[in-house]
Amino acid sequence: MTDRYASFVQSGAGRALVKRLGLPDPPRLRRHTPGDPLVPGPVLLGSATGGRLAEPVGKILTAAGVELADPTTTPGATSRFAALVYDATGITDSTELRQLYDFFHPQARAVRSSGRVVVLGTPPAECGSPREATAQRALEGLTRSIGKEFGRGVTAQLVYVTAAGGAGTPVSLEATLRFLLSGRSAYVSGQVVRVGAGTATVPADWDRPLDGQVVLVTGAARGIGAALAGVLARDGARVVALDVPEAGDALAAVTNEIGGSAVQLDLTAPDAPNRLAEHLAGRHGHVDAVVHNAGITRDKTLGRMDADRWDSVIDVNLSSQERINDVLLARDLIPTGGRIVSVSSIAGIAGNRGQTNYATSKAGVIGLVDSLAPVLHERGISLNAVAPGFIETRLTARMPLVLREAGRRMNSMAQGGLPVDVAETIGWLAWPATGAVTGNLIRVCGQSLLGA
């Protein structure tokens, strides 16, 4: 689906009109292409007094080929920073928050278009005093505001990194930085990522972080699922693509293109979980990552909705995930170090008129992550959710014009996202290197102005 307004804005006449009338100005976003450098320029790394992460992060970035800028140098108009990374873990009192101003104020106009801002903090629950927890929680307001202020496609994220350590933490911190600084995170902004202690594995090649991994994707025949299958295969995965028999031709086209295998299965069938488990056990012996992407909509206002619309949406979008997880986990088909990623929606956060069934199911997915992630952590398995906002798909193309334009413009990027944006985020959470990233809900919404 073409965003004609965004195309017009990029023209000479469009740029002049946008500037004169103060209209939304969708920037060109930097997306990932294999072979790209991690960032297209120098990164300025700063730290609050007593920060514990600046040194290891500096080593991570240097080893990744990133040029660290001299903090005493002020960039000119043609030599702006590709990213600002700030270690705020040393802030233990609200009076020390001034250090944030001192770092970011002079650099507010020094970040390139589609640049990145990453702030590192300590999880408030791990802080040694109420004052420290208060100061660390304040970082969320900073990063979300930066994401809305800096413009020009610049994203801003907060990463809470456990102080408890653990073998997987440095690996997952590197994986998280590689995702957030790269073009993979083009449509992710204003998010809070929590990196804990857990099982994580350094890939032999960061350009193929899923090499040799078996990854199951449900709802893989079209849209986000098809884009996801392509991203996973590009990153080295052996993709098991699943969809309903009615989508068999489209599913075959996807798997033929990526060299994956297809499973035609209705997930609402009573025997579906066991049939899927038998297939995975027989063909692969296990599954390293499971992506619950299958979903449907059956929209009506609640007062006009029949029971079948309610039941089918809850069953496909939520209950089928629970049933599949139960069987795969009971049969030990997801090994230690395995990952599960569930697709929620911004509707599950903010609600949506005419979608009470859908919003309920997607809020339930968030609840699934909240409740099950701590349990799976004991088994060395991570569980996270991704919540897309307005994504340019055949479903959003059917929306009325006014609603469609509102969905596109009411975010910090002033445009809709692409299926690949969701796919890249899910792909990152499926990496073995992100095993210590668990219990997270990551919105892929361009920092939507709606919802929490």
Side-chain angles (χ1 to χ4, degrees), residues 37 103 150 188 249 362 366 373:
F103 177 78
F150 280 21
V188 177
D249 291 344
K362 294 303 186 178
I366 299 171

Side-chain angles (χ1 to χ4, degrees), residues 286-440:
H286 70 285
V287 59
D288 295 293
V290 175
V291 180
H292 294 292
N293 172 70
I296 62 172
T297 57
R298 298 290 185 269
D299 297 350
K300 282 285 185 181
T301 56
L302 186 58
R304 298 186 177 186
M305 183 183 299
D306 58 78
D308 286 344
R309 288 176 185 262
W310 179 275
D311 291 342
S312 60
V313 169
I314 299 296
D315 197 24
V316 173
N317 296 2
L318 177 58
S319 300
S320 69
Q321 294 191 21
E322 294 178 304
R323 292 192 296 266
I324 290 171
N325 288 343
D326 288 347
V327 171
L328 296 184
L329 292 167
R331 295 181 61 165
D332 290 325
L333 289 174
I334 305 176
T336 297
R339 287 83 59 206
I340 302 174
V341 186
S342 292
V343 177
S344 179
S345 167
I346 195 171
I349 300 170
N352 205 12
R353 187 182 187 278
Q355 288 193 316
T356 52
N357 50 358
Y358 184 77
T360 300
S361 69
K362 294 303 186 178
V365 169
I366 299 171
L368 172 67
V369 171
D370 289 343
S371 59
L372 189 56
V375 177
L376 294 185
H377 182 67
E378 300 300 318
R379 296 178 57 168
I381 298 171
S382 70
L383 171 60
N384 297 281
V386 168
F390 186 95
I391 305 297
E392 303 279 0
T393 66
R394 60 188 179 88
L395 295 178
T396 53
R398 298 173 186 169
M399 295 173 63
L401 176 62
V402 173
L403 293 178
R404 187 167 67 241
E405 283 302 302
R408 284 170 168 163
R409 309 306 162 210
M410 293 184 68
N411 61 75
S412 296
M413 304 298 173
Q415 61 192 285
L418 302 180
V420 71
D421 297 322
V422 184
E424 295 281 16
T425 307
I426 294 171
W428 157 61
L429 292 171
W431 295 355
T434 56
V437 177
T438 191
N440 287 268

